[in-house]
Amino acid sequence: GKKIARGLRKTPQLYGPLKQAFFQPFLLVYGTKGGKEHSQNLLQRAVHFANLWWWRASGYTRIVADTEVNEEMMQNYHLILFGGPESNYLTARWMPSLPIQLGKDFVKIGEKTYPGTDFSLQMIYPNPENPGKFIVILGGQSNPVSDLSSVSFGILFSGAGLPDFLLYRAEEVKKFGWAGVTAAGFFDSSWSLSPTLLYLR
């Protein structure tokens, strides 16, 4: 297997929150694991994101499939992963080593487990295979709706005050906005979950 990083620390260069992944070169990586139609939808999400980046930041970014990402890309870029573990091969590969687990019918944050199949996650974390770079997960569980809802909270504008992670159900957020968020917060100095730095509903 691949070498997974241990002993992570937040540093002045790599501390989060979500927006920090866009301060250096990044790649948009759409998932191809969930079948042709869903892969097309994730690709469209990535294209929309790239257009926003061009419009708001006058910047260009590449879009690649999860199966195209190689060692060189991992060394040189933050990876923005569209699709949860059922939809994106890289999300699936790294999910076991992350502090928030998206299962097929549950989500686990530390000791707390939430049952359900429609959670969406936005999260920044050091790349488990190259902790000098970030991964950002924009993905949900097995439900395609949760994958496509995982950009509900916009990152690409100047006032985006998003933390290190957000977990929510799309329907609840549509109804209640921020009050519909299930969990949100910051990782501590060792990129671990700390009760004092997070909100759990």
Side-chain angles (χ1 to χ4, degrees):
K2 295 279 181 184
K3 187 171 181 290
I4 299 297
R6 296 276 179 255
L8 295 173
R9 304 293 301 170
K10 282 195 173 184
T11 67
Q13 292 75 38
L14 289 166
Y15 57 86
L18 271 157
K19 206 166 161 186
Q20 206 206 0
F22 304 95
F23 294 171
Q24 292 174 320
F26 60 89
L27 294 176
L28 304 180
V29 183
Y30 69 96
T32 61
K33 189 172 179 244
K36 190 174 178 184
E37 186 184 348
H38 190 43
S39 301
Q40 279 297 315
N41 288 336
L42 290 174
L43 172 58
Q44 287 309 312
R45 279 292 155 116
V47 168
H48 177 67
F49 202 95
N51 287 337
L52 271 182
W53 182 247
W54 176 78
W55 180 47
R56 288 186 174 151
S58 298
Y60 289 100
T61 179
R62 281 167 63 199
I63 299 172
V64 296
D66 50 4
T67 51
E68 297 172 333
V69 173
N70 57 33
E71 294 293 330
E72 184 195 0
M73 291 175 185
M74 277 194 233
Q75 290 302 316
N76 294 315
Y77 295 96
H78 301 310
L79 302 178
I80 316 304
L81 306 177
F82 289 82
E86 298 296 312
S87 320
N88 189 304
Y89 285 109
L90 293 179
T91 308
R93 180 158 116 193
W94 291 324
M95 185 59 62
S97 56
L98 301 178
I100 297 175
Q101 295 290 307
L102 288 181
K104 243 189 161 98
D105 55 4
F106 70 91
V107 174
K108 196 162 188 285
I109 299 188
E111 299 301 305
K112 187 144 179 150
T113 301
Y114 297 91
T117 57
D118 56 347
F119 283 101
S120 297
L121 178 67
Q122 292 179 220
M123 181 172 87
I124 189 168
Y125 205 74
N127 184 327
E129 289 174 42
N130 176 26
K133 295 290 179 191
F134 282 128
I135 58 172
V136 170
I137 292 177
L138 300 174
Q141 290 170 289
S142 51
N143 178 346
V145 174
S146 65
D147 262 344
L148 299 178
S149 301
S150 61
V151 285
S152 294
F153 293 95
I155 301 170
L156 299 183
F157 63 97
S158 58
L162 299 183
D164 290 343
F165 66 88
L166 284 166
L167 178 76
Y168 52 90
R169 287 178 153 115
E171 284 308 310
E172 292 183 344
V173 165
K174 276 181 200 157
K175 275 187 208 160
F176 307 115
W178 279 99
V181 169
T182 306
F186 298 90
F187 297 111
D188 66 15
S189 59
S190 59
W191 287 99
S192 300
L193 291 163
S194 164
T196 57
L197 296 174
L198 60 85
Y199 158 81
L200 295 175
R201 207 168 83 209

PDB file of all heavy atoms in Angstrom, residues 20-46:
ATOM      1  N   GLN A  20      -7.582  28.065   2.007  1.00  0.00           N
ATOM      2  CA  GLN A  20      -6.125  28.120   1.833  1.00  0.00           C
ATOM      3  C   GLN A  20      -5.624  27.263   0.674  1.00  0.00           C
ATOM      4  O   GLN A  20      -4.565  27.516   0.116  1.00  0.00           O
ATOM      5  CB  GLN A  20      -5.398  27.733   3.127  1.00  0.00           C
ATOM      6  CG  GLN A  20      -4.009  28.372   3.174  1.00  0.00           C
ATOM      7  CD  GLN A  20      -3.008  27.612   4.025  1.00  0.00           C
ATOM      8  OE1 GLN A  20      -3.314  26.576   4.617  1.00  0.00           O
ATOM      9  NE2 GLN A  20      -1.801  28.116   4.089  1.00  0.00           N
ATOM     10  N   ALA A  21      -6.392  26.257   0.308  1.00  0.00           N
ATOM     11  CA  ALA A  21      -5.972  25.377  -0.799  1.00  0.00           C
ATOM     12  C   ALA A  21      -5.921  26.130  -2.131  1.00  0.00           C
ATOM     13  O   ALA A  21      -5.321  25.647  -3.082  1.00  0.00           O
ATOM     14  CB  ALA A  21      -6.917  24.188  -0.915  1.00  0.00           C
ATOM     15  N   PHE A  22      -6.538  27.310  -2.180  1.00  0.00           N
ATOM     16  CA  PHE A  22      -6.602  28.050  -3.445  1.00  0.00           C
ATOM     17  C   PHE A  22      -5.583  29.185  -3.506  1.00  0.00           C
ATOM     18  O   PHE A  22      -5.595  29.978  -4.427  1.00  0.00           O
ATOM     19  CB  PHE A  22      -8.031  28.561  -3.655  1.00  0.00           C
ATOM     20  CG  PHE A  22      -9.031  27.446  -3.612  1.00  0.00           C
ATOM     21  CD1 PHE A  22      -9.693  27.133  -2.437  1.00  0.00           C
ATOM     22  CD2 PHE A  22      -9.256  26.655  -4.730  1.00  0.00           C
ATOM     23  CE1 PHE A  22     -10.589  26.073  -2.373  1.00  0.00           C
ATOM     24  CE2 PHE A  22     -10.142  25.588  -4.686  1.00  0.00           C
ATOM     25  CZ  PHE A  22     -10.807  25.299  -3.510  1.00  0.00           C
ATOM     26  N   PHE A  23      -4.688  29.232  -2.506  1.00  0.00           N
ATOM     27  CA  PHE A  23      -3.644  30.268  -2.483  1.00  0.00           C
ATOM     28  C   PHE A  23      -2.403  29.817  -3.238  1.00  0.00           C
ATOM     29  O   PHE A  23      -1.466  30.584  -3.415  1.00  0.00           O
ATOM     30  CB  PHE A  23      -3.247  30.615  -1.045  1.00  0.00           C
ATOM     31  CG  PHE A  23      -4.349  31.273  -0.245  1.00  0.00           C
ATOM     32  CD1 PHE A  23      -4.202  31.469   1.119  1.00  0.00           C
ATOM     33  CD2 PHE A  23      -5.525  31.700  -0.841  1.00  0.00           C
ATOM     34  CE1 PHE A  23      -5.199  32.077   1.868  1.00  0.00           C
ATOM     35  CE2 PHE A  23      -6.541  32.291  -0.110  1.00  0.00           C
ATOM     36  CZ  PHE A  23      -6.376  32.488   1.258  1.00  0.00           C
ATOM     37  N   GLN A  24      -2.368  28.545  -3.630  1.00  0.00           N
ATOM     38  CA  GLN A  24      -1.246  27.982  -4.384  1.00  0.00           C
ATOM     39  C   GLN A  24      -1.818  27.137  -5.526  1.00  0.00           C
ATOM     40  O   GLN A  24      -3.012  26.848  -5.527  1.00  0.00           O
ATOM     41  CB  GLN A  24      -0.371  27.121  -3.462  1.00  0.00           C
ATOM     42  CG  GLN A  24       0.366  27.913  -2.404  1.00  0.00           C
ATOM     43  CD  GLN A  24       1.101  26.995  -1.445  1.00  0.00           C
ATOM     44  OE1 GLN A  24       0.607  25.943  -1.051  1.00  0.00           O
ATOM     45  NE2 GLN A  24       2.298  27.397  -1.060  1.00  0.00           N
ATOM     46  N   PRO A  25      -0.981  26.707  -6.484  1.00  0.00           N
ATOM     47  CA  PRO A  25      -1.526  25.934  -7.608  1.00  0.00           C
ATOM     48  C   PRO A  25      -2.316  24.703  -7.161  1.00  0.00           C
ATOM     49  O   PRO A  25      -1.911  23.982  -6.254  1.00  0.00           O
ATOM     50  CB  PRO A  25      -0.264  25.531  -8.385  1.00  0.00           C
ATOM     51  CG  PRO A  25       0.717  26.624  -8.086  1.00  0.00           C
ATOM     52  CD  PRO A  25       0.451  27.010  -6.649  1.00  0.00           C
ATOM     53  N   PHE A  26      -3.461  24.507  -7.810  1.00  0.00           N
ATOM     54  CA  PHE A  26      -4.321  23.372  -7.476  1.00  0.00           C
ATOM     55  C   PHE A  26      -4.879  22.769  -8.748  1.00  0.00           C
ATOM     56  O   PHE A  26      -4.894  23.395  -9.807  1.00  0.00           O
ATOM     57  CB  PHE A  26      -5.458  23.820  -6.546  1.00  0.00           C
ATOM     58  CG  PHE A  26      -6.367  24.874  -7.126  1.00  0.00           C
ATOM     59  CD1 PHE A  26      -7.491  24.527  -7.862  1.00  0.00           C
ATOM     60  CD2 PHE A  26      -6.100  26.225  -6.922  1.00  0.00           C
ATOM     61  CE1 PHE A  26      -8.319  25.494  -8.402  1.00  0.00           C
ATOM     62  CE2 PHE A  26      -6.922  27.206  -7.454  1.00  0.00           C
ATOM     63  CZ  PHE A  26      -8.038  26.839  -8.193  1.00  0.00           C
ATOM     64  N   LEU A  27      -5.314  21.521  -8.626  1.00  0.00           N
ATOM     65  CA  LEU A  27      -5.982  20.814  -9.718  1.00  0.00           C
ATOM     66  C   LEU A  27      -7.398  20.458  -9.284  1.00  0.00           C
ATOM     67  O   LEU A  27      -7.623  20.102  -8.120  1.00  0.00           O
ATOM     68  CB  LEU A  27      -5.253  19.511 -10.060  1.00  0.00           C
ATOM     69  CG  LEU A  27      -3.851  19.594 -10.656  1.00  0.00           C
ATOM     70  CD1 LEU A  27      -3.293  18.185 -10.824  1.00  0.00           C
ATOM     71  CD2 LEU A  27      -3.862  20.323 -11.979  1.00  0.00           C
ATOM     72  N   LEU A  28      -8.332  20.519 -10.206  1.00  0.00           N
ATOM     73  CA  LEU A  28      -9.690  20.065  -9.954  1.00  0.00           C
ATOM     74  C   LEU A  28      -9.796  18.623 -10.448  1.00  0.00           C
ATOM     75  O   LEU A  28      -9.517  18.335 -11.608  1.00  0.00           O
ATOM     76  CB  LEU A  28     -10.696  20.949 -10.689  1.00  0.00           C
ATOM     77  CG  LEU A  28     -10.622  22.453 -10.371  1.00  0.00           C
ATOM     78  CD1 LEU A  28     -11.669  23.216 -11.178  1.00  0.00           C
ATOM     79  CD2 LEU A  28     -10.780  22.726  -8.886  1.00  0.00           C
ATOM     80  N   VAL A  29     -10.160  17.716  -9.545  1.00  0.00           N
ATOM     81  CA  VAL A  29     -10.141  16.287  -9.847  1.00  0.00           C
ATOM     82  C   VAL A  29     -11.558  15.722  -9.716  1.00  0.00           C
ATOM     83  O   VAL A  29     -12.097  15.624  -8.619  1.00  0.00           O
ATOM     84  CB  VAL A  29      -9.190  15.545  -8.867  1.00  0.00           C
ATOM     85  CG1 VAL A  29      -9.114  14.062  -9.241  1.00  0.00           C
ATOM     86  CG2 VAL A  29      -7.806  16.178  -8.850  1.00  0.00           C
ATOM     87  N   TYR A  30     -12.140  15.356 -10.838  1.00  0.00           N
ATOM     88  CA  TYR A  30     -13.509  14.828 -10.779  1.00  0.00           C
ATOM     89  C   TYR A  30     -13.480  13.305 -10.722  1.00  0.00           C
ATOM     90  O   TYR A  30     -12.625  12.649 -11.301  1.00  0.00           O
ATOM     91  CB  TYR A  30     -14.350  15.330 -11.965  1.00  0.00           C
ATOM     92  CG  TYR A  30     -13.966  14.795 -13.320  1.00  0.00           C
ATOM     93  CD1 TYR A  30     -14.627  13.700 -13.874  1.00  0.00           C
ATOM     94  CD2 TYR A  30     -12.935  15.384 -14.055  1.00  0.00           C
ATOM     95  CE1 TYR A  30     -14.284  13.209 -15.128  1.00  0.00           C
ATOM     96  CE2 TYR A  30     -12.585  14.898 -15.309  1.00  0.00           C
ATOM     97  CZ  TYR A  30     -13.258  13.819 -15.830  1.00  0.00           C
ATOM     98  OH  TYR A  30     -12.911  13.330 -17.065  1.00  0.00           O
ATOM     99  N   GLY A  31     -14.443  12.753  -9.991  1.00  0.00           N
ATOM    100  CA  GLY A  31     -14.511  11.312  -9.792  1.00  0.00           C
ATOM    101  C   GLY A  31     -15.119  10.588 -10.979  1.00  0.00           C
ATOM    102  O   GLY A  31     -16.051  11.079 -11.610  1.00  0.00           O
ATOM    103  N   THR A  32     -14.575   9.402 -11.265  1.00  0.00           N
ATOM    104  CA  THR A  32     -15.103   8.570 -12.358  1.00  0.00           C
ATOM    105  C   THR A  32     -15.574   7.201 -11.859  1.00  0.00           C
ATOM    106  O   THR A  32     -15.881   6.316 -12.647  1.00  0.00           O
ATOM    107  CB  THR A  32     -14.021   8.354 -13.440  1.00  0.00           C
ATOM    108  OG1 THR A  32     -12.899   7.667 -12.862  1.00  0.00           O
ATOM    109  CG2 THR A  32     -13.551   9.667 -14.032  1.00  0.00           C
ATOM    110  N   LYS A  33     -15.625   7.050 -10.532  1.00  0.00           N
ATOM    111  CA  LYS A  33     -15.921   5.738  -9.948  1.00  0.00           C
ATOM    112  C   LYS A  33     -17.422   5.433  -9.930  1.00  0.00           C
ATOM    113  O   LYS A  33     -17.826   4.288  -9.806  1.00  0.00           O
ATOM    114  CB  LYS A  33     -15.365   5.745  -8.508  1.00  0.00           C
ATOM    115  CG  LYS A  33     -15.360   4.414  -7.785  1.00  0.00           C
ATOM    116  CD  LYS A  33     -14.614   4.536  -6.454  1.00  0.00           C
ATOM    117  CE  LYS A  33     -14.637   3.215  -5.727  1.00  0.00           C
ATOM    118  NZ  LYS A  33     -15.361   3.251  -4.464  1.00  0.00           N
ATOM    119  N   GLY A  34     -18.259   6.466 -10.048  1.00  0.00           N
ATOM    120  CA  GLY A  34     -19.702   6.286  -9.855  1.00  0.00           C
ATOM    121  C   GLY A  34     -20.503   6.062 -11.119  1.00  0.00           C
ATOM    122  O   GLY A  34     -21.723   6.200 -11.095  1.00  0.00           O
ATOM    123  N   GLY A  35     -19.829   5.739 -12.220  1.00  0.00           N
ATOM    124  CA  GLY A  35     -20.558   5.505 -13.472  1.00  0.00           C
ATOM    125  C   GLY A  35     -20.539   6.721 -14.374  1.00  0.00           C
ATOM    126  O   GLY A  35     -20.220   7.831 -13.950  1.00  0.00           O
ATOM    127  N   LYS A  36     -20.893   6.503 -15.634  1.00  0.00           N
ATOM    128  CA  LYS A  36     -20.725   7.528 -16.670  1.00  0.00           C
ATOM    129  C   LYS A  36     -21.533   8.801 -16.399  1.00  0.00           C
ATOM    130  O   LYS A  36     -21.022   9.912 -16.464  1.00  0.00           O
ATOM    131  CB  LYS A  36     -21.119   6.933 -18.030  1.00  0.00           C
ATOM    132  CG  LYS A  36     -20.757   7.820 -19.202  1.00  0.00           C
ATOM    133  CD  LYS A  36     -21.026   7.144 -20.529  1.00  0.00           C
ATOM    134  CE  LYS A  36     -20.708   8.084 -21.682  1.00  0.00           C
ATOM    135  NZ  LYS A  36     -21.043   7.500 -22.976  1.00  0.00           N
ATOM    136  N   GLU A  37     -22.806   8.627 -16.078  1.00  0.00           N
ATOM    137  CA  GLU A  37     -23.672   9.806 -15.907  1.00  0.00           C
ATOM    138  C   GLU A  37     -23.225  10.649 -14.719  1.00  0.00           C
ATOM    139  O   GLU A  37     -23.124  11.876 -14.812  1.00  0.00           O
ATOM    140  CB  GLU A  37     -25.130   9.357 -15.723  1.00  0.00           C
ATOM    141  CG  GLU A  37     -26.096  10.530 -15.678  1.00  0.00           C
ATOM    142  CD  GLU A  37     -27.535  10.099 -15.407  1.00  0.00           C
ATOM    143  OE1 GLU A  37     -27.825   8.880 -15.480  1.00  0.00           O
ATOM    144  OE2 GLU A  37     -28.353  10.978 -15.137  1.00  0.00           O
ATOM    145  N   HIS A  38     -22.937   9.977 -13.619  1.00  0.00           N
ATOM    146  CA  HIS A  38     -22.523  10.714 -12.430  1.00  0.00           C
ATOM    147  C   HIS A  38     -21.160  11.377 -12.638  1.00  0.00           C
ATOM    148  O   HIS A  38     -20.931  12.502 -12.211  1.00  0.00           O
ATOM    149  CB  HIS A  38     -22.500   9.784 -11.213  1.00  0.00           C
ATOM    150  CG  HIS A  38     -22.311  10.516  -9.917  1.00  0.00           C
ATOM    151  ND1 HIS A  38     -22.970  11.695  -9.631  1.00  0.00           N
ATOM    152  CD2 HIS A  38     -21.523  10.261  -8.852  1.00  0.00           C
ATOM    153  CE1 HIS A  38     -22.600  12.111  -8.438  1.00  0.00           C
ATOM    154  NE2 HIS A  38     -21.721  11.267  -7.947  1.00  0.00           N
ATOM    155  N   SER A  39     -20.258  10.687 -13.339  1.00  0.00           N
ATOM    156  CA  SER A  39     -18.942  11.277 -13.649  1.00  0.00           C
ATOM    157  C   SER A  39     -19.107  12.543 -14.473  1.00  0.00           C
ATOM    158  O   SER A  39     -18.419  13.545 -14.248  1.00  0.00           O
ATOM    159  CB  SER A  39     -18.074  10.273 -14.417  1.00  0.00           C
ATOM    160  OG  SER A  39     -17.903   9.095 -13.656  1.00  0.00           O
ATOM    161  N   GLN A  40     -20.037  12.516 -15.423  1.00  0.00           N
ATOM    162  CA  GLN A  40     -20.321  13.709 -16.232  1.00  0.00           C
ATOM    163  C   GLN A  40     -20.819  14.860 -15.362  1.00  0.00           C
ATOM    164  O   GLN A  40     -20.434  16.015 -15.550  1.00  0.00           O
ATOM    165  CB  GLN A  40     -21.365  13.392 -17.311  1.00  0.00           C
ATOM    166  CG  GLN A  40     -20.804  12.713 -18.539  1.00  0.00           C
ATOM    167  CD  GLN A  40     -19.791  13.583 -19.281  1.00  0.00           C
ATOM    168  OE1 GLN A  40     -20.002  14.772 -19.501  1.00  0.00           O
ATOM    169  NE2 GLN A  40     -18.663  12.995 -19.632  1.00  0.00           N
ATOM    170  N   ASN A  41     -21.674  14.540 -14.392  1.00  0.00           N
ATOM    171  CA  ASN A  41     -22.187  15.570 -13.481  1.00  0.00           C
ATOM    172  C   ASN A  41     -21.064  16.174 -12.646  1.00  0.00           C
ATOM    173  O   ASN A  41     -21.016  17.389 -12.432  1.00  0.00           O
ATOM    174  CB  ASN A  41     -23.269  14.987 -12.571  1.00  0.00           C
ATOM    175  CG  ASN A  41     -24.568  14.717 -13.315  1.00  0.00           C
ATOM    176  OD1 ASN A  41     -24.829  15.334 -14.343  1.00  0.00           O
ATOM    177  ND2 ASN A  41     -25.365  13.791 -12.811  1.00  0.00           N
ATOM    178  N   LEU A  42     -20.156  15.313 -12.163  1.00  0.00           N
ATOM    179  CA  LEU A  42     -19.030  15.817 -11.369  1.00  0.00           C
ATOM    180  C   LEU A  42     -18.088  16.649 -12.241  1.00  0.00           C
ATOM    181  O   LEU A  42     -17.556  17.673 -11.791  1.00  0.00           O
ATOM    182  CB  LEU A  42     -18.272  14.656 -10.719  1.00  0.00           C
ATOM    183  CG  LEU A  42     -19.030  13.929  -9.599  1.00  0.00           C
ATOM    184  CD1 LEU A  42     -18.232  12.709  -9.135  1.00  0.00           C
ATOM    185  CD2 LEU A  42     -19.307  14.851  -8.419  1.00  0.00           C
ATOM    186  N   LEU A  43     -17.896  16.222 -13.482  1.00  0.00           N
ATOM    187  CA  LEU A  43     -17.079  17.009 -14.406  1.00  0.00           C
ATOM    188  C   LEU A  43     -17.711  18.387 -14.615  1.00  0.00           C
ATOM    189  O   LEU A  43     -17.004  19.408 -14.610  1.00  0.00           O
ATOM    190  CB  LEU A  43     -16.934  16.271 -15.735  1.00  0.00           C
ATOM    191  CG  LEU A  43     -16.259  17.047 -16.879  1.00  0.00           C
ATOM    192  CD1 LEU A  43     -14.868  17.500 -16.494  1.00  0.00           C
ATOM    193  CD2 LEU A  43     -16.218  16.209 -18.149  1.00  0.00           C
ATOM    194  N   GLN A  44     -19.025  18.431 -14.769  1.00  0.00           N
ATOM    195  CA  GLN A  44     -19.706  19.727 -14.932  1.00  0.00           C
ATOM    196  C   GLN A  44     -19.511  20.615 -13.707  1.00  0.00           C
ATOM    197  O   GLN A  44     -19.339  21.829 -13.824  1.00  0.00           O
ATOM    198  CB  GLN A  44     -21.200  19.516 -15.196  1.00  0.00           C
ATOM    199  CG  GLN A  44     -21.518  18.997 -16.578  1.00  0.00           C
ATOM    200  CD  GLN A  44     -20.869  19.816 -17.688  1.00  0.00           C
ATOM    201  OE1 GLN A  44     -20.946  21.043 -17.694  1.00  0.00           O
ATOM    202  NE2 GLN A  44     -20.203  19.153 -18.618  1.00  0.00           N
ATOM    203  N   ARG A  45     -19.536  20.006 -12.504  1.00  0.00           N
ATOM    204  CA  ARG A  45     -19.272  20.765 -11.279  1.00  0.00           C
ATOM    205  C   ARG A  45     -17.863  21.365 -11.319  1.00  0.00           C
ATOM    206  O   ARG A  45     -17.646  22.505 -10.942  1.00  0.00           O
ATOM    207  CB  ARG A  45     -19.413  19.860 -10.041  1.00  0.00           C
ATOM    208  CG  ARG A  45     -20.843  19.674  -9.597  1.00  0.00           C
ATOM    209  CD  ARG A  45     -21.384  20.991  -9.056  1.00  0.00           C
ATOM    210  NE  ARG A  45     -22.816  21.041  -9.179  1.00  0.00           N
ATOM    211  CZ  ARG A  45     -23.649  21.105  -8.143  1.00  0.00           C
ATOM    212  NH1 ARG A  45     -23.186  21.140  -6.917  1.00  0.00           N
ATOM    213  NH2 ARG A  45     -24.946  21.177  -8.343  1.00  0.00           N
ATOM    214  N   ALA A  46     -16.911  20.558 -11.761  1.00  0.00           N
ATOM    215  CA  ALA A  46     -15.521  21.032 -11.838  1.00  0.00           C
ATOM    216  C   ALA A  46     -15.386  22.154 -12.866  1.00  0.00           C
ATOM    217  O   ALA A  46     -14.692  23.148 -12.628  1.00  0.00           O
ATOM    218  CB  ALA A  46     -14.594  19.864 -12.180  1.00  0.00           C
TER     219      ALA A  46
END
